[in-house]
Amino acid sequence: MNARDHTDPATAPVVISSRADAVAEPEPTSVRPEPVEGLTNTSAAASTSSARTEVRAAGVSRHHESARAQVAGGATYIDDIPEVRGTLHAAPVCSPVAHGKLRGMDAKAALAMPGVRGVFSAVHIPGDPMLAAFAHDEPVFATDTVQFLGQVVALVVADDVMTARRAARLVTLDIEPLPAVINVHEAHAQKSYVLPPVHVKRGDAAAALKRAPHTLQGQFEVGGQEHFYLEGQVAYVLPLEQNQWWVYTSTQHPGEVQHWVSHALGLANHAVTVECRRMGGGFGGKETQAGHLAVWAAIAANQLKCPVKLRLDRDDDFMITGKRHPFAYHYRAGFDDSGLLCGLELEMLANCGFSADLSGPVADRAIFHADNAYFLEDVAIASYRCKTNTQSHTAFRGFGGPQGVIVIERILSDIARRLGLDPLDVRLRNLYSDEPTTGALRQAQGGRGKSVRAEPVEALAQRNVTHYQMPVEDNILEPLMTALAQTSHYRERRDQIAAWNAKSPIIKKGMALTPVKFGISFTATLFNQAGALVHVYTDGSVQVNHGGTEMGQGLNTKVAAIVADELGVPFEQVMSTAADTSKVPNASATAASSGTDLNGRAAQFAARHVRDNLAAFVSGLDGCGAGAVRFEAGQVITPKTTRAFNDVAHAAYANRIQLWSDGFYRTPKIHYDKTTMQGRPFYYFAYGAAVTEVAIDTLTGESRVLKVDILHDVGRSINPAIDIGQIEGGFVQGMGWLTTEQLVWNDKGYLQTHAPSTYKIPATGDIPEHFKIDLWPEPNREDNVHGSKAVGEPPFMLAISVFEALRDAVAQAGGQPEGMNAPGTAEEVLRAVG
C-alpha cells in the first residue's frame, strides 16, 4: 500500500471498497446486471499482450487549467459577469480623520446628483450592526466613532460607478477629532491592545542569559505590506425570490462571506449563496476583508430591492483594507563561542490596527515561527497585539510566520559577525537535531562544564522539540542546506565577494543563506477539514467541486489531476467548477497553504467512492473481486476484459449505479491548547533554503539582487511547473516586502503610499538574471495527498536571505547592519552605511 492510498483510520471515509482491501470483499450477492448494448470489451489476452504505459495526471508539469482562457481574455472575474438589468453601483463614504466622534452626516448634495439612488449607513442594517467576526469588535459602518482614516461610514448607490464615486465625495461628515494612536510603541506604552498579551516560555531564559559567555541585545522594526492583488476588492449581490440572495465575490472564504451577509441581513445562512469562480490574486487580503464589501453591497441591495455591485478603485482599496502586520521587536540573546544560542528573551509588538480581525492567530504564528529552523532551549517570548488608529491589519502570505522568522535570522547573523564566524556555520550549529540539550548535558555532568559532550541517553531531552512542545520528526534541514551550499558554491563565492569588496570602494556585495521551516495546518484546529463533490456523467466526463477557491495558485489544476488519477482518466476529462456554498457548505478559507492538502484529499476520497461503485459493478459483470479491477489510462481493466471508462460510466448509469459522491477529510494528528500555546498545531513542516547575492551602492543606497539559488521541499510534487511558479512568486513577493514596499502613515494617520506612484512592488527588472530553483527529491513523510507538501507560503520566507544579504553588504562597507530596519529601501541602506 503506498502513501496516497493509505488513510488514517480515525479520519478515513466509509467506502464501498478500497483498492487495497477490495480483495478481501465478498463476491456480490445480487444478480449480475445485464450488459448494456454498445459496451466495448477487449479480451484480457489482448490487453496483456500489448505494452501498456500508465499515464498519470499528478506528478506532471502541465498548464494551469485556466491559463489559455486568461491569456485570451476569456476567464471571467467578478467585474466581467454580465450585469442583470437594473444593476446599480456603489461607492464608499470614508472617514477623513483617524480618530473622532461622528456627530452627523450631510448627504444632501450627493442625493441631489442625477442618477443617485440612495445613501445608506448603519441605520439601514436590518441585522447586527457589528460584523460577524470572531472578536465582534468591528462595526459594519462607523456609528458613534471613527477609528481610522478610511473607515467606511456610508455607501452611495447610483446608476453607474463613476456617478456613485463622485457623489460619495460630496457627502460631508461632522467629526470631532480625538487623539489618534499611530505608532505601535505609543500603543504599547498606553496598553492599547485589541487582544490580551500572550507569553510563551521554556526553561529559564534569564538564568541562561546570565550563564552565557556572550550576549547581544537590540531592537528592530519590519514594515507591513499591501496585498496589491491585480483584481481589487469587489462584490456583486443579487436579490432572489423569497428573501434569498446570490453573492458573487472575490473571496478566499465564501463560507465566511455567507455568514457575514446573512448575519447583517438578519437571515439564516441557507438564504445566502456565495459563489467565486476565481480571484485575480488574494494573498490573504481576501480571507476576511472581502466580506466587508459583500455586506455593504447586500445592505444597499436589501434597501433598494435590486442588484448592487461594489468595486473599490485602487486608492480606496489601499485606504480601506488592512495590510500585513508591521512588527517591532526588542531582544536579548546569549550564545557561546561557537555561536550556539544559550538563551533568548524576545518581545514582539504587532501593529494590529483598530480591530482584531485575524491578529490573534497571526501573532500566535509569529510566536510559533520565532524559532524558524533552530532549537531554542531557554526562551521567553512576549507578544503584544497593539491597537492603533490605522486600517485593521489582516492575513497575508505567511500569516505572521515571516515576522517570526526574520527576527531569529537577524539575531544569528549578528552573532556570527560578533564572533567573526561564517553565518552559515552559526545557522548549522543551531539547527534542530537529535543531539542532547545543554541542560541535559549539565544534568549528566552534575552541573560541571559546558563544553564536554555526553552520550545521549533516553531520559535526556534532545534538540528536536519546539518551544511549543511539538516534536520535529521530519527534519531535513541539515542535508538540504548543505546540499544547497555545495550546488550554489556558497563557500567559494564568499571568498570571491571578499576579494571584490577589497577592490571596490563604492559597490559592495553581500551574500546570505537562510532556511525556512514552516508549519502546515490552520492553528485553529477546527478549520482543518474539507469537503468535495465528484460527478461522473454518462459520457464519462467528470466534474469536481470543492470548498477551496482558485486565486491563481493552481488549486483547481491540482485537484483535477488528483481526481483524474483516482478514476484513471486523462486530466482533460476532469473539470473543476466554481466554489459555491450551496454545493460544499461550511468550507474553511483557502489559506494556511492547506488548499490542496485539504480539498485535494477530500476530492480524492469522493472520486474513490465513485471508483469503488464502478469497481463493484464491473466485478459483478466479470465474476472477479472488486480489488482486481484497475482504472488506468481511460480504461477499466479486469482479469477477463478491458472496457473504456466512458462506456463503463454509461453502462453503470443504465444499471442504476451511483455516479456521484461526496468526500470529506480532516487533518489527522493535530491538537493544540490555545491557553498554554502547546501541542501539535501543524501536521508537518515544509522546508527550504535560499542563497542570495546582492550589491549595494554606498553613495546612493540603491541595491540590486544579483543571484538567487533555491532548494525547496514540496514533497512529491503534484505539478512541478505550478510549484516552481509558486516558489518564484513567493520569493519575489517576499523580496518586495523587504526592499521596496514601504507603507508610510503620517502623524495624522493618513496612508501616504496609497497608489502605485508611491508604493513600489517588484517589477520585471528586479528579477535577478540568475534565478535557479531546484526541488528536494523526497516525498512527504506524513500521509498527505500524493506525498506532496504545501507550497503557497513557505517560499515567501526564503526572501529573508535578500535582507540578510543586504545587511552583509552593509557590514562589508563598514556600516551598521545592527541598526537596519526593514524594508531595506535605498534610504535605509544609505542610513545604515553611514
Side-chain angles (χ1 to χ4, degrees), residues 213-421:
H214 310 280
T215 60
L216 64 80
Q217 59 185 355
Q219 57 187 25
F220 170 50
E221 294 190 10
V222 60
Q225 187 176 23
E226 166 63 31
H227 299 87
F228 219 109
Y229 20 65
L230 290 179
E231 178 198 30
Q233 297 279 9
V234 58
Y236 184 27
V237 178
L238 291 81
L240 306 176
E241 64 172 78
Q242 302 180 64
N243 206 18
Q244 297 176 55
W245 298 85
W246 197 280
V247 180
Y248 295 102
T249 174
S250 182
T251 180
Q252 296 173 237
H253 199 175
E256 184 166 70
V257 173
Q258 177 193 40
H259 178 49
W260 282 25
V261 169
S262 61
H263 187 77
L265 296 181
L267 302 172
N269 285 355
H270 69 201
V272 178
T273 299
V274 176
E275 178 180 331
C276 178
R277 173 58 181 91
R278 63 173 59 82
M279 289 163 275
F283 309 118
K286 297 176 181 177
E287 184 171 345
T288 60
Q289 301 207 357
H292 298 71
L293 278 82
V295 169
W296 296 332
I299 290 167
N302 182 64
Q303 289 292 315
L304 295 168
K305 307 304 178 186
C306 65
V308 172
K309 180 189 286 188
L310 172 56
R311 174 172 57 83
L312 297 182
D313 69 16
R314 185 65 66 177
D315 286 280
D316 284 345
D317 204 320
F318 262 86
M319 299 302 292
I320 293 170
T321 62
K323 325 297 177 192
R324 182 185 297 279
H325 290 66
F327 267 58
Y329 314 86
H330 293 84
Y331 54 85
R332 187 167 176 242
F335 52 97
D336 66 14
D337 292 341
S338 71
L340 183 70
L341 281 166
C342 303
L344 175 65
E345 291 178 343
L346 174 62
E347 179 184 79
M348 296 178 162
L349 309 181
N351 185 338
C352 302
F354 85 98
S355 69
D357 194 89
L358 293 172
S359 296
V362 166
D364 287 350
R365 191 175 272 268
I367 293 173
F368 289 142
H369 288 81
D371 62 335
N372 190 22
Y374 314 109
F375 178 72
L376 305 177
E377 183 168 356
D378 292 283
V379 59
I381 302 174
S383 172
Y384 297 92
R385 294 92 197 272
C386 300
K387 180 176 181 176
T388 60
N389 293 116
T390 62
Q391 293 83 353
S392 185
H393 298 310
T394 189
F396 201 130
R397 196 176 201 164
F399 202 79
Q403 293 96 315
V405 172
I406 194 171
V407 66
I408 192 66
E409 293 299 335
R410 178 188 184 90
I411 289 169
L412 292 183
S413 292
D414 288 348
I415 288 173
R417 274 187 285 271
R418 176 77 66 86
L419 296 173
L421 300 174

Side-chain angles (χ1 to χ4, degrees), residues 706-745:
L706 303 176
K707 293 182 179 181
V708 174
D709 292 88
I710 291 173
L711 180 55
H712 196 71
D713 166 35
V714 300
R716 183 188 294 120
S717 178
I718 296 172
N719 188 318
I722 283 178
D723 286 346
I724 290 172
Q726 285 290 292
I727 295 167
E728 290 172 340
F731 183 91
V732 172
Q733 191 172 51
M735 183 175 74
W737 173 50
L738 296 172
T739 56
T740 60
E741 298 186 43
Q742 186 174 30
L743 293 166
V744 179
W745 286 267

